[in-house]
Amino acid sequence: MMPILSMIVLIPLIFAALALFTKTKEQARVIALAGTVIVLLLTVYMYFNFDSTIADNQFEELAQWVPSLGITYHLGVDGIAMPLILLNAIVLPFLVLFTWNDDRKSPNKFYACILATEGAVIGVFTALDFFLFYIFWELTLVPLFFMVSIWGGPNKHKAAIKFFIYTHVASLVMLLGIFGLYFAAWDMTGTPTLDIPTLISQFQFIESGAAKDMIFLALLFGFIVKIPSFPFHSWQPDAYTEAPTAGSVLFVMLKIGGYGLFKVMLPMLPFTASPNLMITIMAALGSVSVLYGAFLALSQKDLKRMVAYSSVSHMGYVTLGAAGLVSLSVSGAMFQQFSHGLIMSVMFMSCGIIKNTTGTRIINDLGGLAQKMPKLAVIMVMTFMASLGLPGLSGFIAEVSVLAGSFGNLPSYVLIAVSAIVITAAYHLWALQRAMFGVYNEKLGTVVDIDTFQTVSMGVIAILVLYFGLNPSPVLDMMLTNSDNIVSLMAAMGV
């Protein structure tokens, strides 16, 4: 069988290396587009050959690497990973098209960072060995750090360092959890292994309840910082805001924290010594993130920073849904990751266009842009409505699934999240009304609408937001199979 998972991981990394050796912007962007399109085609092939009715890993590749340490080259995808790989494969070619006419320094390095990020993120989603998983996890930091620090805004260096320190420290804590699990399993079986499914299955046999809880919390910390979740979110608004538009979209594609919740944490949760405490921690972090992020978004004057804080709020649904522990809430949280990636990509693209065209992102300094930029206005209105949860768009499917599914087990925390709905609608509508409608601010001078490349890039993703809002089954069915499997495990253990 064709090693398709190795191909979708290695091709972006190989094309990233090729992009570094290009001499012109034209060469670099063609290399980037070719690499991302090849990954998209391979991913589409995988999607149509993926069996949504089973929760097992598919397209597996396994080879011994360092047997003495239990390290293997083990790749595979299930219904948790496949939609996220599809998300990255869809968005990245359109991101390259979106930047097609941009003039920036070192375009070869810029496009290399885009490709390297894609390869690293897909590597995390496909790795079934913790050694591989951690390598790709850390590799995501490098191109994103340079994306912010080289091509970012006025405070780019501070934002880049803050992002690196926060997420790297969290990764080290997560690594301690991996080591704890690794050595505990080695001590019990006498055989070293870093195979993720094997270690998760061995977790239940660890005798010490305190050791179980410490391992679980260490891994959980690494994942929730990456999501990010309150109160470990402060790196995110700075990094998202200071990053160039392409960097902000790449951050949105970084769904590895939420992926870790579903792939690693939930299968381990029923075997911890204090499962109810762990559920409470996750539910509290998720619900507070939804409400706190909404309040912070409402208070922002900068349009892009408002969108960044709204991302904190919306990702809170992922943690809350995971804690709900019913199939509807867990699958809704998975779908929220997919939907959020599509919606936020276009929202950050919109913010970048407004900044480049008008010279400002300050909401009160804008006004009436729809008169001059009707194509941008249509796309912005659709994605802002999707972000606030309008029925018929993908954001509604995800959020209503999380709230309805979680209410039975977590009514108090769901009520906290529900209270943010009005605030969420308020800041979206407030920003749209002031930035896009009303009287045009003549101080902005002459502005032009989005070009063909930008229209196609943003328009296609916006259409997908509508499509998956009306018909979520093409990705939701995969998620439901795995969420059913996770919830069955919880029920069997009495959680």
Side-chain angles (χ1 to χ4, degrees):
M1 187 176 68
M2 179 173 61
I4 194 166
L5 296 184
S6 293
M7 293 172 68
I8 64 171
V9 172
L10 294 177
I11 285 173
L13 299 178
I14 292 170
F15 274 73
L18 292 176
L20 286 174
F21 292 101
T22 58
K23 302 297 184 182
T24 65
K25 178 184 75 173
E26 290 74 18
Q27 292 173 344
R29 69 190 185 187
V30 168
I31 290 290
L33 183 61
T36 54
V37 168
I38 292 171
V39 172
L40 175 59
L41 294 175
L42 290 171
T43 304
V44 169
Y45 170 82
M46 283 175 55
Y47 173 79
F48 284 110
N49 288 274
F50 187 88
D51 187 351
S52 299
T53 63
I54 60 174
D56 296 334
N57 290 303
Q58 302 175 45
F59 306 103
E60 280 194 79
E61 301 173 26
L62 177 61
Q64 294 298 319
W65 192 354
V66 187
S68 61
L69 297 177
I71 299 173
T72 60
Y73 181 81
H74 191 188
L75 304 180
V77 293
D78 58 8
I80 304 171
M82 188 66 226
L84 298 178
I85 296 173
L86 184 64
L87 170 68
N88 276 267
I90 290 171
V91 171
L92 268 294
F94 292 110
L95 177 61
V96 173
L97 282 179
F98 179 83
T99 63
W100 200 256
N101 291 323
D102 287 1
D103 289 319
R104 64 180 77 249
K105 63 180 180 181
S106 305
N108 59 334
K109 297 175 185 176
F110 177 79
Y111 286 110
C113 284
I114 292 177
L115 289 160
T117 303
E118 180 179 33
V121 171
I122 293 177
V124 173
F125 295 148
T126 57
L128 292 178
D129 182 281
F130 267 125
F131 183 78
L132 269 181
F133 180 88
Y134 193 77
I135 287 176
F136 286 124
W137 181 281
E138 289 291 84
L139 185 58
T140 62
L141 295 179
V142 179
L144 288 171
F145 173 82
F146 287 118
M147 183 65 76
V148 177
S149 62
I150 296 175
W151 299 282
N155 298 313
K156 58 187 180 182
H157 297 299
K158 177 183 176 182
I161 292 171
K162 188 175 183 181
F163 155 69
F164 193 90
I165 291 175
Y166 258 78
T167 54
H168 185 57
V169 169
S171 300
L172 293 176
V173 174
M174 182 181 74
L175 182 62
L176 292 177
I178 293 172
F179 279 148
L181 187 56
Y182 171 67
F183 286 112
W186 191 351
D187 184 60
M188 289 186 295
T189 64
T191 304
T193 182
L194 279 162
D195 186 71
I196 293 176
T198 302
L199 287 180
I200 291 175
S201 67
Q202 290 294 322
F203 177 73
Q204 61 184 303
F205 300 115
I206 298 175
E207 293 183 1
S208 171
K212 287 183 180 181
D213 285 352
M214 290 176 65
I215 290 171
F216 186 90
L217 289 172
L219 293 170
L220 181 63
F221 180 74
F223 293 135
I224 63 174
V225 171
K226 207 75 165 190
I227 286 176
S229 178
F230 171 88
F232 310 109
H233 65 282
S234 63
W235 66 266
Q236 188 251 45
D238 291 339
Y240 281 34
T241 304
E242 293 302 320
T245 300
S248 301
V249 174
L250 291 175
F251 275 117
V252 170
M253 295 295 102
L254 204 66
K255 301 300 183 191
I256 56 180
Y259 170 75
L261 285 184
F262 304 116
K263 186 70 175 181
V264 179
M265 305 315 302
L266 291 189
M268 292 171 60
L269 191 151
F271 303 109
T272 60
S274 312
N276 291 331
L277 174 62
M278 303 306 170
I279 292 168
T280 301
I281 290 172
M282 291 169 61
L285 292 177
S287 59
V288 172
S289 293
V290 173
L291 183 59
Y292 185 65
F295 271 118
L296 289 176
L298 183 64
S299 66
Q300 300 307 308
K301 298 178 181 179
D302 184 312
L303 182 63
K304 190 176 185 183
R305 198 166 183 85
M306 185 208 79
V307 173
Y309 275 114
S310 78
S311 182
V312 174
S313 178
H314 286 99
M315 289 303 289
Y317 285 101
V318 175
T319 312
L320 177 61
L325 296 184
V326 296
S327 186
L328 181 62
S329 72
V330 174
S331 60
M334 293 178 187
F335 190 74
Q336 173 71 344
Q337 292 226 105
F338 182 83
S339 170
H340 178 269
L342 294 176
I343 295 168
M344 286 291 156
S345 296
V346 181
M347 291 179 72
F348 278 118
M349 288 177 182
S350 301
C351 293
I353 288 169
I354 289 174
K355 170 66 174 178
N356 292 339
T357 304
T358 67
T360 183
R361 294 191 307 251
I362 304 302
I363 297 170
N364 287 334
D365 291 344
L366 301 170
L369 290 180
Q371 301 172 31
K372 307 290 185 178
M373 309 176 77
K375 290 186 289 186
L376 175 63
V378 170
I379 294 172
M380 271 191 71
V381 167
M382 179 182 289
T383 50
F384 270 59
M385 292 300 105
S387 184
L388 66 81
L390 186 72
L393 300 171
S394 63
F396 174 78
I397 300 290
E399 293 175 14
V400 76
S401 298
V402 169
L403 295 174
S406 301
F407 185 77
N409 292 335
L410 305 167
S412 300
Y413 298 105
V414 169
L415 289 175
I416 293 173
V418 167
S419 66
I421 291 176
V422 175
I423 304 166
T424 301
Y427 68 74
H428 281 96
L429 296 175
W430 173 78
L432 269 181
Q433 191 273 329
R434 284 166 172 74
M436 303 305 294
F437 301 105
V439 178
Y440 178 68
N441 185 355
E442 297 295 340
K443 294 180 180 179
L444 298 175
T446 302
V447 299
V448 294
D449 208 353
I450 50 180
D451 63 31
T452 302
F453 290 108
Q454 294 167 337
T455 303
V456 171
S457 302
M458 299 170 69
V460 170
I461 300 174
I463 290 170
L464 289 175
V465 170
L466 174 62
Y467 172 75
F468 287 112
L470 298 174
N471 180 31
S473 294
V475 292
L476 190 58
D477 286 348
M478 292 185 280
M479 301 168 180
L480 280 168
T481 302
N482 281 84
S483 63
D484 287 342
N485 187 60
I486 291 170
V487 171
S488 298
L489 175 64
M490 301 291 175
M493 296 304 300
V495 177

